[in-house]
């Protein structure tokens, strides 16, 4: 495994520690971008923590991902304030913009991942969309569409997609 | 188990299994309890949940290690050095139980002298266990007055197995951790009724109830009871019988429900011995590898097809009840023996198994108080001398039968066969969780075969990568006695230089490799240590 | 401008940064330097990032202080900075058209700031800023000259109740824990602000993290805890960062660590535990499970955490706002604190005022203030001059207060009586365009997705509630369904294991109580607020349609047809009612009914 | 001892006892699904709710410790109504295929549904559907029947120390499964099967072997290792079709893979059915008992006469009963006349 050194380092920080499962998963995800099965199993066996505990915890908390995510992360807030300010339609719009089929959250070209979160706590500037960690308040459909197009433009490979979008 | 009997007067577990729950410290040595006695391990876990602390000593990182506070990973066959080292620390730290030692033991001086040299440093050098861990274990065990020691074949199946047991006994005697509830020495029996077979007198030196054949008074009593003339000459132990057969001295062998061909060391030697017999009579439920060599095979019944009793590892007499009719013409063992006996001119006539049990109880007071009706729902621990006796959970409450018990000065002797340049690996053998003994039962159970039906050899990742062995690769393991081919299982359970092969698989029988070196006293073979080498195999055909 | 003292405070909470606070600050730095003003005032020009002052909707807010004389600017972007520097700082003439107006002042006028008193005024990343306004004095006083019992007495007398939801008296909780003998005790700050529509904890930690830390130190001293945890949502990166900085600074100043303030026996430190995205972890026992690295599944109480909590040890769990009150109560006295509020609900409460209100933001008001004052005086009324319909309080555990109960007093008892709760302080204003069935469904969707799955009523019951609601919003409901909602809702409340399940039906039950006619309209296939998708039809209003084709392009179902520059039509049999055409049309030519 | 009043009955229990334990001591029945006396309380099924004076809402009796003078009511119309709602909810997410279920007649859920007369379901709705079946050879895991009581998870962790399974996901999607939903790969002790109150966990070998009603149960002792666990053989038409262990026995109902699942050797077609005599050519032929016994006796007699009794040895078995072993050594000593008798204690 290429990531063995990373994993060894993460594991080393938790030897003999009680209750480190969540922190370990967070560190693995920070380092590898998601939670690969082999990585977790390796650490579980290394620290003699049941593999099932990692799986149980990882599937319980919304923060953990089992598949690699896109290069650009779009986080749409689904808090109440955003909801009453039309976040649902906004999110549907983004999904359409990214051609995401039902249930899908990452574009096949691994460029974009659209995720929904409960509330980012920026309710007075609702609706809120976070694009690559930058918070966009009072996010209108147009504004977000422009942002996404700008992101695509930076990627040469996406140029073709861009053209079909414009008339 | 014989050695424990020599020390204390009885070779059985001194505690009952239930008492494990009340233990403060549990020390297992040479016992893969989680796999070989899973339900006893459950009790240990229960104790640990209640706060008990666990020490595990084993060359392999056995599953129980996961629950241990201290894991002593000793080199195979160095148990005496480890145990002496622990005793050394206990004495040095003044953790011994002086009152107990004064009242119930003797020859402490001899022990003191013999362990003087076993400083933690010295013990560490021999065993490979860090000296800090030896000290920690000694402080933990020695500091407790409610500690139990558990061991199995990892202790006894050595050329110095008796020494190992003596060294264990020393620890219990030093700390007084014996003769009270939830503290004692507990050899765990590997088979359902080993205890019962011993108790019932299937030993060459004693009648039922460990009554010596060479004592005229005893012999006379049995002659009278059995109305027969008996020999006062001690008989051959099983391993000696094989040897004797090979030498042509033993001419006939009657084997009931045993498969020595697979379970005895050095299979090549055993085969020759059995083939050398004039007459081999085997009584079993399957046509085992041993039965295949027989002149006559008699179809017997299994546990579900007969009534009777088993005595488990904690001396508990429990009922066995007939649930189904035997297949075909198969007959109950008791009936077969009786009919054979009649034909040899010694009539046996038992109306039921209960009648036989009562006769046994009449000859051995420890069982005298037990009847089938008393154990209908729950078994009773012997000794139970009278009908109103509740049975005995733990032994030696009122002292040892022989008065004072001696410490034994035990010297460390290395195993008979050590790894060398030609055979650089140490092989140890044993059981795995799913299969049982020679496999005649479990290997006929479809789900077990589906899950654990293939032989394998455990090898460390370090050795595997050095030799270019992938996980699952077929390799050949060779000893001075033979060779087998099996799959490599790369695992952290074994350390560098150590291999482990489970004994159950006849197609790659571990006992092709093992040495028939015996413990000089107990005549137990050294299954736990022999020297081997490994080679890669180019094709599967080559194995066959 | 020589010899004047210039101060610049830039709002840099999450809202401020989202609106470009960082760029504004960079612009100020650059222009101050290039204009030479920095040199001319001889270092008496100071610039501070400050935390949120509540009115994030007007971010970036910038205070310019010239010799203490404050002018506040709103909606500032980096492009506006050169002009401010030139006209205001150099020439001394504030730019009137950019300064805040009457609504900004109204927003603050009726507020009483305790917890938020220093938020927005001090630099949250500088412990000295906190110390300069009296910070850590309470710690020194408590640790050096008071017994734990004396501290507890003050807190008890103040009448402070837990601000996380249930409103348990804080002093009493501390007292119970203080009296238990144990080798280890813990104090946990619950910063797992999971209620959608609530952000007081985030703002407090971003704006004044030391107040929370100080509250924990005083709490730890009172109960005898050596270990502290802040359990905080990973979704609040800025708050986490500021908390880390604050903890480091507190350690450097010996407010944390071993031998705090030189008292040999007093050891206490705080660790941060990041939540991983589970609303239920706001529940005490689930939070403990989560800190222990397990699935956040609550367990039955008793035993309560104060007896058996983290690792089985006595544990006090207080929420952020509760803890942030402590230093102020200690400094200003129990009597001062209890002079605010009602008989049973003392002090102030922070609310997150959001939704269809003009001034949406974070407010702190005395307990018992009428809802009307919050909505109309502080909030400035409803956006777009629409009619107020209801105010939802307490998030997914709370309920809706209808417009005709606008004079209700905001305290624990009154809200409970109305079928809602104070909760952690979320307050969402709903107007005539909001469908109450949809709002109930929104909250149910939330709790159903956040149910841990341990107990049957919550795991399956909330699912069934949602299914019934879904049916109703599709126009397929019956009168029996409404009865079933009430019956099942009340059974779930009675039979569920933890607070999540016990309160999950509240949004349904309270809307059923106050807005039953709206449910009944749905049974007849109508959504009066025109929100429920399945009950809507979209059509093109020909006279407004320019034939620009925007709707046609955006329609994912191919339901829009029409030639360029001619009015388009929507085929209702193909329409999936996503509303994309409605959103995209610049001419209001798409009708929704 | 702590005094408690349950449904008007006074009792005294040890400190730390739960209300449920106290009620059971007083023979007051309280329905439960997730509670198991040998496992930590879970409190998830909510069926054991009771009313306690001074506590405003119903509490689960399995998790609530008794306090001095506590007054408990275990059954009121309101409580029974809540219980029925809870049961209906469980059954609304259950296949309800009792007619095909292995555990029919031996299922706590079925028993309670019967008792509470749950027939129509007010809460019918989406049900969990799992297409993938667990491929392990021992344990059938039908997770659609799982009521998420957590007993198996607890047993696997607390009793067995393995934690091969755990809760995964959450809410309605919660599922008990091995990591990454792979096939179960564990010690296969079957403790989970033993504690499962529904048909979610059964032995793969139990399938279609027979209904409970015409199965004969025989209590006996496990034939494997020396632990000697109490087992119950379930027999139908002279075949052992299932092995269980009684919770009341000393081993508390816990077994290992061999004890619980290793019984099919009993009815193996490879069992010896007739005596066999080896022919000169080397092969075996079937023989009658008389012939075989006569022949064996003749050979033993000859050898004894020719070489003396000590030229004969006997190896008995640690797997046979005490009675078998007693007779065997008596045979060797009295009928043959040698002490050459041993067994495999050393192996």
């Amino acid at each position: 495994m290429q990531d063995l050194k990373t994993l060894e380092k993460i594991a080393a920080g938790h030897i003999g520690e009680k209750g480190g499962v969540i922190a370990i998963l967070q560190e693995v995800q920070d380092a590898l971008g998601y939670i690969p099965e082999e990585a977790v199993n390796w650490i579980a066996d290394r620290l003699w923590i049941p593999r099932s505990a990692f799986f149980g915890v990882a599937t319980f908390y919304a923060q953990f991902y089992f598949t690699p995510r896109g290069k650009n992360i779009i986080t749409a807030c689904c808090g109440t304030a955003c909801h009453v300010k039309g976040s649902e339609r906004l999110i549907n719009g983004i999904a359409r913009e990214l051609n995401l089929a039902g249930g899908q959250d990452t574009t096949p070209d691994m460029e974009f991942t659209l995720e929904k979160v409960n509330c980012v706590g920026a309710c007075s500037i609702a609706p809120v969309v976070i694009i690559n960690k930058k918070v966009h308040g009072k996010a209108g459909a147009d504004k977000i569409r422009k942002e996404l197009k700008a992101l695509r433009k930076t990627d040469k490979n996406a140029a073709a997609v861009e053209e079909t979008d414009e008339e | 188990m014989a050695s424990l009997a020599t020390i204390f007067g009885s070779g059985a577990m001194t505690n009952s299994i239930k008492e494990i729950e009340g233990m403060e410290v549990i020390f297992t040595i040479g016992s893969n309890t989680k796999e070989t006695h899973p339900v006893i391990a459950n009790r240990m876990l229960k104790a640990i949940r209640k706060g008990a602390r666990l020490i595990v000593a084993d060359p392999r990182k056995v599953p129980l290690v996961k629950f241990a506070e201290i894991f002593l990973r000793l080199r195979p066959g160095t148990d005496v050095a480890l145990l002496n080292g622990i005793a050394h620390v206990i004495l040095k730290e003044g953790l011994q139980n002086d009152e107990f030692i004064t009242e119930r033991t003797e020859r402490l001086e001899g022990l003191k002298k013999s362990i003087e040299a076993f400083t933690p440093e010295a013990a560490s050098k021999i065993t490979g266990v860090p000296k800090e861990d030896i000290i920690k274990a000694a402080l933990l065990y020695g500091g407790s007055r409610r500690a139990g020691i558990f061991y199995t074949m990892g202790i006894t199946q050595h050329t110095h197995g008796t020494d190992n047991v003596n060294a264990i006994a020393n620890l219990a005697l030093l700390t007084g951790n014996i003769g009270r509830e939830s503290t004692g020495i507990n050899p765990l029996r590997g088979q359902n009724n080993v205890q019962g077979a011993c108790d019932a007198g299937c030993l060459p030196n004693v009648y039922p109830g460990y009554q010596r054949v060479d004592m005229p008074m005893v012999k006379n009593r049995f002659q009278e009871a059995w109305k027969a003339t008996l020999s006062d000459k001690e008989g051959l132990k099983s391993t000696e019988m094989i040897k004797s057969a090979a030498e042509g001295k033993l001419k006939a062998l009657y084997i009931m429900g045993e498969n020595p061909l697979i379970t005895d060391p050095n299979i090549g030697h055993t085969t020759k011995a059995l083939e050398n017999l004039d007459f081999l009579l085997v009584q079993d439920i399957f046509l085992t590898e041993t039965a295949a060599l027989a002149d006559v095979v008699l179809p017997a019944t299994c546990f579900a097809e007969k009534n009777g009793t088993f005595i488990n590892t904690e001396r508990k007499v429990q009922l066995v009840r007939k649930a189904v009719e035997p297949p075909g013409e198969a007959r109950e063992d008791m009936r077969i023996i009786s009919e054979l006996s009649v034909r040899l001119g010694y009539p046996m006539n038992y109306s039921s198994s209960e009648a036989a049990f009562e006769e046994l109880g009449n000859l051995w007071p420890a069982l005298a108080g037990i009847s089938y009706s008393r154990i209908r729902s729950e078994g009773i621990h012997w000794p139970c001398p009278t009908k109103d006796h509740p049975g005995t959970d733990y032994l030696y409450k009122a002292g040892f039968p022989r008065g004072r018990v001696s410490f034994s000065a035990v010297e460390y002797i290395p195993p008979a066969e050590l790894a060398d340049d030609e055979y650089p690996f140490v092989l140890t053998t044993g059981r795995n969780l799913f299969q049982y003994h020679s496999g005649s039962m479990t290997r006929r159970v479809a789900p077990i075969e589906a899950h654990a039906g293939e032989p394998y050899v455990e090898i460390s990742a370090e050795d595997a990568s050095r030799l270019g062995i992938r996980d699952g690769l077929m390799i050949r393991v060779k000893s001075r006695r033979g060779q087998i081919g099996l799959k490599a299982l790369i695992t952290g359970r074994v350390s560098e230089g150590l291999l482990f092969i489970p004994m159950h698989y006849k197609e790659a029988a571990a006992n092709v490799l093992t040495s028939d070196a015996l413990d000089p006293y107990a005549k137990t073979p050294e299954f736990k240590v022999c020297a081997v080498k490994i080679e890669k195999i180019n094709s599967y055909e080559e194995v066959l | 401008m020589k010899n004047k003292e210039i101060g610049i405070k830039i709002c840099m909470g999450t809202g401020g940064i989202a609106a470009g606070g960082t760029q504004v600050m960079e612009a100020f730095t650059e222009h101050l330097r290039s204009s030479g003003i920095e040199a001319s005032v001889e270092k008496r020009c100071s610039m501070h990032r400050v935390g949120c002052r509540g009115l994030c909707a007007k971010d970036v807010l910038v205070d310019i202080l010239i010799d203490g004389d404050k002018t506040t600017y709103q909606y500032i972007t980096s492009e506006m900075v050169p002009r401010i520097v030139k006209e205001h700082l150099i020439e001394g003439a504030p730019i009137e058209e950019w300064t805040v107006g009457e609504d900004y002042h109204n927003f603050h006028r009726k507020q009483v700031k305790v917890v938020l008193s220093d938020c927005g005024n001090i630099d949250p990343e500088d412990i000295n800023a906190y110390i300069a306004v009296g910070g850590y004095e309470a710690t020194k006083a408590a640790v050096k000259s008071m017994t734990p019992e004396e501290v507890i007495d003050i807190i008890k007398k103040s009448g402070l109740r837990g601000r996380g939801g249930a409103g348990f008296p804080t002093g009493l909780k501390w007292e119970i824990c203080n009296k238990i003998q144990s080798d280890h005790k813990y104090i946990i700050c619950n910063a797992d602000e999971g209620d959608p529509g609530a952000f007081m904890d985030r703002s407090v930690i971003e704006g004044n993290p030391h107040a929370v830390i100080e509250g924990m130190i005083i709490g730890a001293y009172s109960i005898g805890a050596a270990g502290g945890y802040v359990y905080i949502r990973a979704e609040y990166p800025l708050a986490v960062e500021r908390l880390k900085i604050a903890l480091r600074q507190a350690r450097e100043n010996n407010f944390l660590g071993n031998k705090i303030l030189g008292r040999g026996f007093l050891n206490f430190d705080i660790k941060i535990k990041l939540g991983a995205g589970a609303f239920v972890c706001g529940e005490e026992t689930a939070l403990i499970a989560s800190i222990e690295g397990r699935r956040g599944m609550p367990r039955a109480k008793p035993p309560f955490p104060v007896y058996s909590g983290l690792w089985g040890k006595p544990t006090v769990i207080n929420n952020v706002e509760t803890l942030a009150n402590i230093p102020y109560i200690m400094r200003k006295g129990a009597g001062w604190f209890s002079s605010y509020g009602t008989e049973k609900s003392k002090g102030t409460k922070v609310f997150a005022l959001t939704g269809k209100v003009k001034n949406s933001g974070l407010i702190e008001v005395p307990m018992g203030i009428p809802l009307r004052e919050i909505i109309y005086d502080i909030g400035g009324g409803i956006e777009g001059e629409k009619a107020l319909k209801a105010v939802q309080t307490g998030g997914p555990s709370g309920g809706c207060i209808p417009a005709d109960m606008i004079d209700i007093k905001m305290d624990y008892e009154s809200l409970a009586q109305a079928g809602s709760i104070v909760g952690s302080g979320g307050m969402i204003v709903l107007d005539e365009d909001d469908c109450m069935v949809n709002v109930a469904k929104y909250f149910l969707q939330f709790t159903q997705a956040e149910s841990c799955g341990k107990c049957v009523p919550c795991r399956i019951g909330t699912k069934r509630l949602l299914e019934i609601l879904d049916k109703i919003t599709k126009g397929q409901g019956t009168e029996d369904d409404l009865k079933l909602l009430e019956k099942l809702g009340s059974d779930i409340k009675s039979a569920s294991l933890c607070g999540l399940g016990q309160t999950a039906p509240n949004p349904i039950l309270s809307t059923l109580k106050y807005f039953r006619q709206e449910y009944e309209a749905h049974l007849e296939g109508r959504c009066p607020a025109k929100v429920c998708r399945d009950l809507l039809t979209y059509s093109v209003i020909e006279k407004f349609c320019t034939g620009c084709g925007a709707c046609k392009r955006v329609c994912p179902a191919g339901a829009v047809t029409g030639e360029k520059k001619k009015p388009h039509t929507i085929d209702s049999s193909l329409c999936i009612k996503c509303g994309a055409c409605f959103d995209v049309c610049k001419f209001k030519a798409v009708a929704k009914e | 001892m702590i005094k408690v009043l349950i449904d008007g009955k006074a009792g005294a229990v040890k400190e730390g006892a739960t209300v449920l334990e106290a009620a059971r001591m007083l023979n007051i029945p309280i329905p439960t699904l997730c509670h198991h006396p040998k496992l930590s309380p879970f409190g998830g099924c909510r069926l054991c709710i009771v009313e306690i004076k001074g506590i405003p809402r119903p509490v689960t009796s399995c998790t609530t410790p008794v306090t001095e003078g506590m007054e408990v009511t275990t059954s009121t119309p309101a409580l029974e109504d809540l219980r029925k709602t809870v049961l209906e909810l469980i059954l609304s997410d259950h296949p309800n295929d009792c007619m095909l279920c292995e555990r029919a007649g031996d299922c706590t859920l079925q028993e309670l549904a019967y008792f509470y007369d749950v027939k129509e379901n007010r809460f019918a709705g989406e049900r969990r559907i799992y297409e993938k079946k667990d491929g392990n050879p021992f344990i059938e895991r039908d997770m659609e029947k799982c009521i998420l009581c957590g007993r198996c998870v607890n047993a696997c962790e607390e009793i067995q120390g393995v934690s091969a399974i755990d809760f995964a996901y959450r809410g309605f999607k919660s599922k008990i499964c091995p990591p990454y939903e792979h096939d179960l790969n564990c010690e296969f002790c079957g403790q989970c099967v033993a504690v499962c109150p529904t048909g979610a966990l059964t032995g793969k070998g139990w399938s279609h072997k027979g209904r409970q009603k015409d199965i004969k149960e025989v209590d006996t002792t496990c034939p494997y290792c020396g632990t000697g666990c109490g087992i119950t053989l379930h027999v139908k038409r002279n075949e052992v079709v299932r092995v269980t262990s009684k919770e009341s026995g000393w081993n508390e109902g816990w077994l290992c893979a061999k004890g619980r699942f290793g019984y099919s050797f009993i009815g193996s077609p490879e069992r010896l059915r007739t005596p066999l005599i080896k022919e000169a050519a080397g092969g075996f032929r079937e023989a009658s008992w008389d012939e075989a016994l006569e022949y064996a006796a003749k050979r033993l007699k000859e050898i004894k006469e020719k070489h003396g009794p000590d030229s004969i040895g006997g190896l008995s078995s640690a797997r046979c009963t005490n009675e078998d072993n007693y007779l065997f050594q008596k045979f060797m000593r009295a009928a043959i006349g040698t002490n050459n008798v041993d067994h495999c204690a050393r192996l």
Side-chain angles (χ1 to χ4, degrees), chain D residues 63-109:
Chain D
T63 59
T64 308
V66 172
T67 54
E68 183 60 39
M70 189 181 258
E71 289 179 38
V72 181
T73 311
T74 67
S75 180
T76 64
L79 283 175
E80 298 299 350
D81 192 48
L82 281 178
R83 287 180 183 143
K84 191 167 177 177
T85 297
V86 168
L87 266 176
E88 264 187 74
L89 286 172
I90 294 172
L91 290 166
S92 75
D93 185 27
H94 191 85
N96 299 323
D97 60 350
C98 300
M99 279 174 285
L100 300 172
C101 183
E102 205 53 59
R103 291 290 295 271
D106 177 31
C107 167
T108 318
L109 181 60

Side-chain angles (χ1 to χ4, degrees), chain B residues 4-226:
Chain B
L4 200 60
T6 318
I7 308 166
F8 293 109
S10 163
M13 267 176 83
T14 73
N15 298 114
S16 65
I17 294 170
K18 271 186 188 167
E19 288 169 59
I20 295 172
E21 262 181 75
M23 288 180 182
E24 204 170 69
V25 172
I26 296 169
F27 179 15
T28 71
I29 178 162
S31 166
N32 179 7
T33 320
K34 193 90 180 71
E35 293 195 272
T36 60
H37 298 82
V39 176
I40 290 178
N42 289 352
R43 279 289 159 150
M44 293 179 175
L45 298 195
K46 195 169 178 185
I48 292 167
R49 276 207 310 283
K50 288 180 167 180
R53 299 161 75 182
L54 175 68
I55 307 165
V56 174
D58 205 288
R60 287 201 302 151
K61 204 175 193 175
V62 290
L64 201 61
V65 174
K66 189 165 107 182
F67 309 96
E69 184 172 322
I70 304 168
F71 172 38
L72 308 169
R73 191 171 205 165
L74 74 172
R75 293 191 184 105
T78 62
D79 308 75
V80 164
L82 177 70
L83 293 161
N84 279 355
I86 291 173
H88 180 101
V89 178
I90 288 176
L91 276 172
K92 196 177 148 209
E93 298 292 328
L95 295 171
Q96 73 277 14
N97 186 337
D98 290 323
E99 196 186 328
F100 182 91
I101 293 171
T102 319
E103 282 174 15
R104 296 172 73 170
T105 69
E106 56 193 20
R107 296 192 203 156
L108 177 66
E109 286 316 307
L111 173 75
K112 275 188 176 168
K113 241 174 106 185
S114 71
I115 60 175
E116 218 161 49
F118 287 91
T119 60
E121 293 77 15
S124 171
K125 215 170 158 193
I126 299 170
T127 59
V129 176
K131 69 170 192 202
E132 296 75 27
D133 288 345
I134 297 176
I135 295 170
K136 263 201 273 178
L139 295 182
L140 187 52
Y141 179 81
S144 171
R145 291 294 175 262
R146 224 154 21 94
I149 304 183
F150 296 81
Y151 67 89
T152 57
M153 299 302 177
I155 281 296
T156 54
Q157 287 178 345
H158 288 283
T159 44
H160 49 268
T162 305
D163 293 343
N164 288 347
V165 175
N166 286 336
I168 286 173
N170 287 340
L171 292 187
L173 292 174
L174 266 181
T175 53
N177 275 327
I178 190 163
R180 282 174 292 116
E181 193 176 347
S182 294
T183 176
I185 302 178
N186 297 293
L188 302 178
R189 301 296 199 152
Q191 297 183 59
N192 59 335
N193 202 31
V194 183
Q195 187 66 48
C198 295
D199 295 346
C202 286
L203 291 169
N205 58 338
V206 291
Y207 294 119
Y210 309 95
Q211 308 178 63
R212 306 244 314 250
V213 296
D214 55 1
M215 288 172 73
M217 229 177 68
V218 173
K219 191 183 89 171
N220 289 342
R221 206 157 69 81
F222 276 89
Q223 293 203 134
E224 205 170 298
W226 290 346

Side-chain angles (χ1 to χ4, degrees), chain A residues 36-47:
Chain A
E37 181 180 346
E38 324 79 69
V40 168
N41 287 348
W42 188 90
I43 289 186
D45 296 352
R46 172 85 175 74
L47 296 177

Side-chain angles (χ1 to χ4, degrees), chain C residues 55 58 100-113 353 358-359 362-365 369 373-381:
Chain C
L55 204 52
K58 296 188 183 297
V100 293
E102 192 57 20
D103 55 347
Y104 179 85
H105 297 295
N106 283 341
F107 179 77
H108 288 103
R109 199 162 289 140
K110 285 211 171 170
Q111 294 194 46
V112 174
K113 296 203 174 184
L353 180 63
K358 279 182 189 156
N359 297 333
L362 201 66
I363 62 167
E364 185 170 1
V365 290
I369 188 175
E373 290 181 26
I374 294 179
I375 306 294
Y376 288 99
D377 298 344
I378 298 172

Side-chain angles (χ1 to χ4, degrees), chain B residues 407-421:
Chain B
F407 285 101
S408 333
V410 187
E411 273 312 308
Y412 167 69
I413 304 160
E417 190 176 83
L418 291 169
D420 53 27
D421 287 348

Side-chain angles (χ1 to χ4, degrees), chain C residues 133-298:
Chain C
V133 296
Y136 289 110
E137 271 167 27
T139 303
K140 287 179 199 160
V143 169
K144 287 187 174 164
S145 58
M146 295 169 84
T147 65
E149 290 73 20
E150 285 167 347
V151 175
I152 290 170
D153 199 50
I154 294 176
I155 303 304
K156 278 175 75 178
K157 282 196 177 128
S158 75
L160 176 66
R161 290 168 67 176
R163 297 294 192 240
F168 191 82
T170 306
L172 188 58
K173 198 187 259 188
W174 287 10
E175 189 175 41
I176 296 168
C177 195
N178 168 281
K179 285 184 178 156
I180 300 170
Q181 296 293 321
S182 175
D183 55 342
H184 269 288
K185 292 179 189 175
Y186 295 99
I187 185 165
I188 298 173
C189 169
N190 183 351
D192 187 48
E193 186 169 58
D195 282 19
F199 53 98
M200 13 303 140
D201 296 352
R202 175 182 67 70
S203 295
V204 170
I205 293 176
E206 283 177 7
N208 192 3
H210 285 287
V212 181
I213 293 170
E214 191 175 5
M216 288 183 77
I217 296 169
I218 294 168
Y221 176 70
S222 303
I223 63 169
Y229 286 91
V230 179
Y231 185 85
I232 183 167
R233 299 179 76 200
E235 287 90 338
Y236 287 175
L238 184 63
V240 172
E241 194 48 43
R242 292 205 172 142
L243 195 58
K244 280 184 187 161
I245 293 168
L247 286 174
R248 199 185 62 224
Q249 292 173 344
R251 273 183 215 113
E252 286 163 3
N253 285 270
N254 195 217
F255 294 121
L256 286 176
N258 290 335
K259 299 183 187 172
I260 290 174
L261 297 174
R263 302 238 3 217
F265 57 91
L266 192 58
N267 303 327
F268 175 66
D269 209 342
I270 297 172
K271 285 181 192 158
I272 297 176
K273 280 275 178 178
L274 290 187
F279 173 67
V280 71
C281 288
E283 199 278 344
E284 292 186 319
T285 58
L287 185 149
I288 287 170
S290 189
I291 291 182
E292 290 174 356
R294 294 182 286 121
R295 291 164 59 85
M297 307 214 301

Side-chain angles (χ1 to χ4, degrees), chain B residues 471-512:
Chain B
D471 198 51
L473 189 79
M474 287 295 291
I475 60 172
R476 187 187 295 116
V477 183
K478 267 188 178 171
S479 78
R480 291 187 171 83
R481 290 152 296 274
Q483 62 175 58
I484 56 176
L486 31 50
K487 273 189 179 167
L489 176 75
I490 299 174
T491 167
R493 280 192 179 198
V494 288
S495 48
E496 224 175 322
L498 184 65
L499 302 177
F500 169 82
I501 300 178
M503 63 180 287
H504 318 290
Y505 303 93
K506 61 181 179 200
E507 62 271 40
N511 286 329
V512 168

Side-chain angles (χ1 to χ4, degrees), chain B residues 345-358:
Chain B
Y346 181 77
M348 283 191 194
N349 192 9
Y350 294 94
S351 56
S352 66
S353 63
E354 194 169 3
F357 184 78
E358 272 170 23

